[in-house]
Amino acid sequence: MPLRVLLVDDVVEVRRLVRTSLRFRGGFEVVGEAADGPEAVRLASRLRPDVVVLDLDLPEIAGADLLSQVRAAAPEAKIVMPEEGGLGRLVELIESLEEDDEDDTTAAVIDLPHELSSVSRAREFVRERSAEWGIDEPLDDALLVVSELAANALTHAGSSYRVRLSATAEALRIEVDDDGAGTPEPQPLSETDEHGRGLYLVSALASSWGMGAAEGGGKRVWAELALPAPRAAGRAE
């Protein structure tokens, strides 16, 4: 069965580009399109898509409110939020959400406890695996992203969590599964409110990020960081 996709973006040219790319790739069905927040929530509830490609900067409902409402309307859907410059890999990213990657040799997993000290263990895990795989850039960004995702699991889910790291020729992917049912809420940086700062930084650093249900229950929050072109060229040879 094709993956059922809901496209949410107020720029019609962006929706047309993604829709056309998915059609040519095959294996996808665009079941709906929305140009504003209320329509996105309505279609998510009625269509129950497998994947929602979501622009958070929409009229009427935007940002954390939109993300929470879309997830409540379609709780089983995987939500993808491409950042600026992330559109080129979007089709492959959507496809990868449903692939079985148990045989992916460039992947590693660590289970961590509900302890503040586990955040440093998560960073060390990413540092060590990246060194094994020959990834030295963007290591600083990857360490910041895994720190923020781990802290999010500790603070908002209040549970132990699992970190999964994987790499392709184009991107380094960081996933964090926890037992929480809430929706992460990225907020603009401010001098008075620290809530949501971590996910705001994740969205700024990542080429794409998103969330969905974890395999064993709870939620999964993930982010992808683009790898430099020389690495991509080397892996492709």
PDB file of all heavy atoms in Angstrom, residues 68 92 145 202:
ATOM      1  N   SER A  68       0.726  20.657  18.041  1.00  0.00           N
ATOM      2  CA  SER A  68      -0.050  19.910  19.024  1.00  0.00           C
ATOM      3  C   SER A  68      -1.397  19.485  18.452  1.00  0.00           C
ATOM      4  O   SER A  68      -1.845  18.346  18.654  1.00  0.00           O
ATOM      5  CB  SER A  68      -0.268  20.749  20.286  1.00  0.00           C
ATOM      6  OG  SER A  68       0.955  21.039  20.915  1.00  0.00           O
ATOM      7  N   GLU A  92      13.193  11.284  -0.050  1.00  0.00           N
ATOM      8  CA  GLU A  92      13.920  10.159   0.523  1.00  0.00           C
ATOM      9  C   GLU A  92      13.661  10.053   2.019  1.00  0.00           C
ATOM     10  O   GLU A  92      13.560   8.954   2.578  1.00  0.00           O
ATOM     11  CB  GLU A  92      15.419  10.314   0.267  1.00  0.00           C
ATOM     12  CG  GLU A  92      15.831  10.124  -1.183  1.00  0.00           C
ATOM     13  CD  GLU A  92      15.586  11.351  -2.040  1.00  0.00           C
ATOM     14  OE1 GLU A  92      15.154  12.392  -1.493  1.00  0.00           O
ATOM     15  OE2 GLU A  92      15.801  11.272  -3.260  1.00  0.00           O
ATOM     16  N   VAL A 145      22.310  18.694  19.374  1.00  0.00           N
ATOM     17  CA  VAL A 145      20.989  18.127  19.086  1.00  0.00           C
ATOM     18  C   VAL A 145      20.674  16.965  20.017  1.00  0.00           C
ATOM     19  O   VAL A 145      19.583  16.890  20.597  1.00  0.00           O
ATOM     20  CB  VAL A 145      20.896  17.689  17.610  1.00  0.00           C
ATOM     21  CG1 VAL A 145      19.668  16.807  17.380  1.00  0.00           C
ATOM     22  CG2 VAL A 145      20.831  18.911  16.696  1.00  0.00           C
ATOM     23  N   VAL A 202      17.104  22.810  17.970  1.00  0.00           N
ATOM     24  CA  VAL A 202      17.120  21.632  17.101  1.00  0.00           C
ATOM     25  C   VAL A 202      16.571  21.983  15.727  1.00  0.00           C
ATOM     26  O   VAL A 202      17.152  21.628  14.685  1.00  0.00           O
ATOM     27  CB  VAL A 202      16.306  20.481  17.723  1.00  0.00           C
ATOM     28  CG1 VAL A 202      16.104  19.351  16.715  1.00  0.00           C
ATOM     29  CG2 VAL A 202      17.017  19.950  18.963  1.00  0.00           C
TER      30      VAL A 202
END
